[in-house]
Amino acid sequence: MIQAHAGGAGAREIGRTGFRLARCRQSFGASRGIALATKNTLPGIDAFPDIARGLVDVEEALTDTVLVADPSISETTSYLLKAGGKRVRPALVLLGSKFGDSIGESAIDAAVAVELIHLGSLYHDDVIDESDTRRGLPSVNANWNNTIAILAGDFLLSKASEIGARLGREASELLARTLGDLVKGELRELTNAYNLESGLDDYWHVIENKTAALISASARLGGMVGGTSQQVTNDLAEYGFRIGIVFQIADDLLDLVSTEEEIGKPPGIDLVEGTYTLPVIHGLNGPNGDQLGKLLTPFTPAADGSRRNEIGDAELTEIRDLLRESGSITYAMDQAREHLAAADQALARLPANPVRDALEAMGEFILARVPLPS
Ligand code: FPP
Ligand code: MG
């Protein structure tokens, strides 16, 4: 079992650099008053002291990894890590690994690698989406600029590759393939932006690749580093894939039905960006489709590049009401529940134990974020 880290990835760097990194880490904690022992925000995790401890190790290793000797660079590379996050992907790695051996160094490495890919992709995503906020803070591109955000994201991805290489060829290939999946999902989303005709096939392709692939890979990696059987690893991957889909549908619904306080960014951003998600695609193909299409059109860039780039409360309410009326919100929730049921079927094939119960609770927790009457 892993003890509290004497030194994570950063501590593998040498001599004076190591000293400066230690100074950086002090200021990392101090600058925002963030305790390195992060609070567990996932249900049921506290019941597993080894996982809770493992997540502290992951947090320390992440901190060491994102810091470089130059504090001005570290400020950008550590920015999103400091901003918080639920660490769903690392938790999945650790939970998955518990179906095999006890949590070892490989599990911590795998957990760090998947979180770095996730964080790196968010740096890039905010540049692509021209987002000003992330996790309730100004985004990196807003705080610095696009080039810095891209390069800081690249740095995190490079660290994920370096750590992935320590896990061996199969894990390394999985991480690389997953990076490719993220890019494929994001590309399909972009090529369909503002397309009122985009259909469900496009939607599933986008979310399977941009979101479910990494969550699935996290659960699969957990099984792999825990040395579980091929069958258990595949079932974990299937569970991760399905809850990844649930996660994204919930996220897409939250953009429509939540407040800024609840999601840490203004609601309705997907509509402004021309990202038409499951409820919207359903609504566009229903009886209110024409009305919805008219409400969405002002956001589409005109020939001279002009467009509305903010959605008013009145418009958002109107769109929400039309979607409610056409049963589109309910449709999306039902789809999410179907995928949650498929996730539970994958879990049912795994050995019955408290970890399996925690995974089941995690699936329900993801959907419970959506503030809707069930
Ligand atoms: C957030 O989704 C973004 C993703 C899940 C994936 C982003 C992928 C890329 C930018 C491709 C390039 C990736 C790498 C690793 C080089 P969202 O925009 O739906 O959610 P948000 O509201 O949190 O931004
Ligand atoms: Mg985005």
Side-chain angles (χ1 to χ4, degrees):
M1 197 168 295
I2 285 278
Q3 302 301 313
H5 255 245
R12 290 186 184 95
E13 299 193 18
I14 43 162
R16 287 210 306 255
T17 310
F19 174 70
R20 269 180 278 153
L21 280 172
R23 299 264 316 261
C24 279
R25 279 195 56 193
Q26 274 170 10
S27 65
F28 177 93
S31 64
R32 303 187 66 86
I34 292 173
L36 282 176
T38 49
K39 194 174 165 305
N40 293 319
T41 51
L42 291 168
I45 294 290
D46 287 329
F48 304 98
D50 55 344
I51 293 198
R53 245 191 330 272
L55 285 172
V56 173
D57 290 340
V58 169
E59 209 60 25
E60 291 192 2
L62 278 166
T63 304
D64 287 339
T65 307
V66 299
L67 295 176
V68 294
D70 180 341
S72 65
I73 296 177
S74 288
E75 217 187 328
T76 56
T77 53
S78 66
Y79 186 80
L80 275 192
L81 178 69
K82 281 197 225 176
K86 293 180 287 299
R87 310 289 188 248
V88 169
R89 296 156 189 82
L92 269 180
V93 172
L94 301 189
L95 285 162
S97 78
K98 272 183 72 80
F99 283 90
D101 303 336
S102 59
I103 297 169
E105 195 166 348
S106 301
I108 304 295
D109 275 345
V112 170
V114 293
E115 190 65 11
L116 287 172
I117 291 179
H118 173 57
L119 288 169
S121 76
L122 295 182
Y123 278 76
H124 288 192
D125 185 62
D126 286 339
V127 172
I128 294 166
D129 292 349
E130 299 174 29
S131 289
D132 292 335
T133 46
R134 167 73 62 190
R135 296 179 171 167
L137 294 173
S139 58
V140 179
N141 41 302
N143 237 352
W144 287 273
N145 59 48
N146 283 352
T147 314
I148 290 201
I150 293 287
L151 290 172
D154 285 346
F155 179 78
L156 267 49
L157 299 176
S158 78
K159 287 291 173 184
S161 309
E162 198 180 323
I163 294 167
R166 292 209 288 270
L167 295 170
R169 180 177 171 159
E170 199 188 348
S172 200
E173 279 179 357
L174 173 62
L175 289 169
R177 196 164 50 246
T178 307
L179 266 176
D181 290 342
L182 259 67
V183 175
K184 279 192 290 182
E186 191 81 357
L187 275 173
R188 178 75 74 95
E189 183 171 294
L190 287 173
T191 50
N192 268 296
Y194 303 106
N195 180 5
L196 294 171
E197 321 259 283
S198 82
L200 291 178
D201 285 352
D202 291 313
Y203 179 74
W204 296 123
H205 179 92
V206 168
I207 74 165
E208 283 170 17
N209 283 281
K210 82 168 185 180
T211 308
L214 183 57
I215 296 181
S216 176
S218 304
R220 180 183 288 285
L221 271 173
M224 282 164 60
V225 296
T228 65
S229 70
Q230 192 65 45
Q231 186 57 50
V232 167
T233 299
N234 287 342
D235 288 334
L236 282 167
E238 169 70 6
Y239 161 80
F241 185 75
R242 297 295 189 156
I243 61 155
I245 290 174
V246 177
F247 189 85
Q248 190 59 52
I249 297 176
D251 216 53
D252 294 343
L253 278 164
L254 284 169
D255 185 72
L256 287 167
V257 301
S258 308
T259 61
E260 179 157 0
E261 296 71 57
E262 282 163 342
I263 52 175
K265 59 185 178 180
I269 289 233
D270 287 343
L271 304 173
V272 175
E273 287 167 358
T275 304
Y276 302 145
T277 57
L278 188 56
V280 177
I281 294 170
H282 181 270
L284 283 167
N285 288 291
N288 295 335
D290 288 346
Q291 262 174 291
L292 270 172
K294 284 200 190 94
L295 283 162
L296 294 175
T297 303
F299 303 109
T300 308
D304 63 359
S306 66
R307 66 174 177 118
R308 284 211 44 195
N309 58 11
E310 270 179 37
I311 188 159
D313 287 347
E315 274 164 311
L316 189 55
T317 304
E318 205 175 337
I319 290 171
R320 203 182 280 156
D321 289 348
L322 286 171
L323 291 175
R324 286 222 165 94
E325 202 180 283
S326 56
S328 307
I329 305 276
T330 310
Y331 169 81
M333 273 306 267
D334 288 347
Q335 290 288 311
R337 285 198 192 96
E338 273 184 35
H339 285 282
L340 192 55
D344 287 343
Q345 278 167 25
L347 284 183
R349 295 192 290 270
L350 291 171
N353 60 33
V355 183
R356 195 177 83 167
D357 298 341
L359 290 174
E360 197 177 334
M362 196 186 276
E364 277 153 22
F365 166 78
I366 289 167
L367 204 50
R369 289 187 307 149
V370 185
L372 289 176
S374 50

